[in-house]
Amino acid sequence: DAKTTQPNSMESNEEEPVHLPCNHSTISGTDYIHWYRQLPSQGPEYVIHGLTSNVNNRMASLAIAEDRKSSTLILHRATLRDAAVYYCILRDPSNTGNQFYFGTGTSLTVIP
Amino acid sequence: DAGVTQSPTHLIKTRGQQVTLRCSPKSGHDTVSWYQQALGQGPQFIFQYYEEEERQRGNFPDRFSGHQFPNYSSELNVNALLLGDSALYLCASSLVDRGNYEQYFGPGTRLTVT
């Protein structure tokens, strides 16, 4: 299983940026970095993914270190609705194919 | 556009019984994956179905089996239920032509084994 390490929990004030770190020191050259989040009582939802370059979408930004051994999910302005468990996942389509290995994730609390 | 739907929402079974969970994928999706999520843990991959065949399987015993129908909907069957099978069972759908990178999850079925 591709391994990632995330803090168990983080807190952020509402309307402030949030940086969620993920370490993946054993990442291989073909591993994609995916982020999903799971709101309370819901299934996980896709946030963003990338391979080497930084990525932006309407939900968040993904900053990938040059050596790819770590990455950071950036929420530009946290809202109460962003309170969720955030999962950083490595996936190698050429090896594990479509399996997503979820860890225990980071539980984000947003303080009003 | 309906997203991924699962039924039933909740289920209570007794040890040794068998259970069938159902999933309808997001419209247009052709691939269905099943996950088990124990309390306080992340989802664990069970298996994935595409073109009515099991493509990949996680580390789960043969008591866990599945099926995909021509309309892409899917069932998860668990035989000889154990107390440890109590969990939230999630279904996710995706498109193989898009590399299956974005999986859409349903709300899950909460299974309690007593």
Side-chain angles (χ1 to χ4, degrees):
Chain A
D1 299 1
K3 297 295 186 185
T4 62
T5 304
Q6 300 176 252
N8 288 332
S9 62
M10 291 184 64
E11 285 187 351
S12 173
N13 293 319
E14 194 177 10
E15 298 190 4
E16 289 188 356
V18 182
H19 291 233
L20 296 164
C22 181
N23 287 317
H24 28 79
S25 58
T26 60
I27 192 170
S28 72
T30 50
D31 281 332
Y32 282 79
I33 302 161
H34 295 255
W35 284 82
Y36 277 73
R37 71 179 185 180
Q38 188 170 19
L39 279 66
S41 302
Q42 295 187 25
E45 65 175 349
Y46 169 84
V47 177
I48 201 167
H49 81 289
L51 183 61
T52 56
S53 304
N54 294 344
V55 184
N56 300 295
N57 67 18
R58 64 175 180 79
M59 288 182 69
S61 295
L62 176 60
I64 301 172
E66 199 167 332
D67 63 4
R68 299 208 327 126
K69 295 186 179 216
S70 65
S71 60
T72 302
L73 179 71
I74 302 166
L75 307 179
H76 296 287
R77 286 182 72 228
T79 68
L80 296 179
R81 196 193 172 279
D82 292 322
V85 178
Y86 287 78
Y87 296 99
C88 170
I89 304 160
L90 299 185
R91 184 175 76 106
D92 177 3
S94 67
N95 182 13
T96 57
N98 302 303
Q99 294 191 43
F100 280 75
Y101 292 100
F102 289 78
T104 52
T106 296
S107 179
L108 176 66
T109 300
V110 180
I111 302 167
Chain B
D1 172 30
V4 178
T5 59
Q6 294 185 242
S7 63
T9 306
H10 296 86
L11 202 53
I12 300 175
K13 290 286 190 178
T14 305
R15 267 184 308 176
Q17 286 188 317
Q18 177 265 344
V19 68
T20 297
L21 310 181
R22 295 177 176 81
C23 171
S24 291
K26 180 177 168 65
S27 178
H29 282 186
D30 55 13
T31 304
V32 173
S33 303
W34 286 92
Y35 293 81
Q36 180 194 67
Q37 186 172 26
L39 206 58
Q41 302 296 315
Q44 301 298 306
F45 177 79
I46 303 175
F47 43 52
Q48 183 180 83
Y49 277 83
Y50 172 66
E51 292 188 332
E52 303 179 47
E53 291 191 356
E54 184 183 293
R55 290 185 78 186
Q56 287 184 301
R57 189 179 185 91
N59 189 25
F60 279 81
D62 292 344
R63 297 187 298 109
F64 290 77
S65 63
H67 188 76
Q68 185 180 36
F69 299 94
N71 68 353
Y72 306 118
S73 67
S74 178
E75 289 182 349
L76 164 66
N77 300 293
V78 186
N79 294 323
L81 284 168
L82 303 174
L83 295 178
D85 294 332
S86 295
L88 180 67
Y89 288 85
L90 294 160
C91 168
S93 72
S94 54
L95 262 176
V96 71
D97 283 351
R98 294 195 67 190
N100 290 309
Y101 72 84
E102 185 172 355
Q103 298 202 350
Y104 289 77
F105 284 80
T109 294
R110 173 71 62 187
L111 173 64
T112 301
V113 182
T114 62

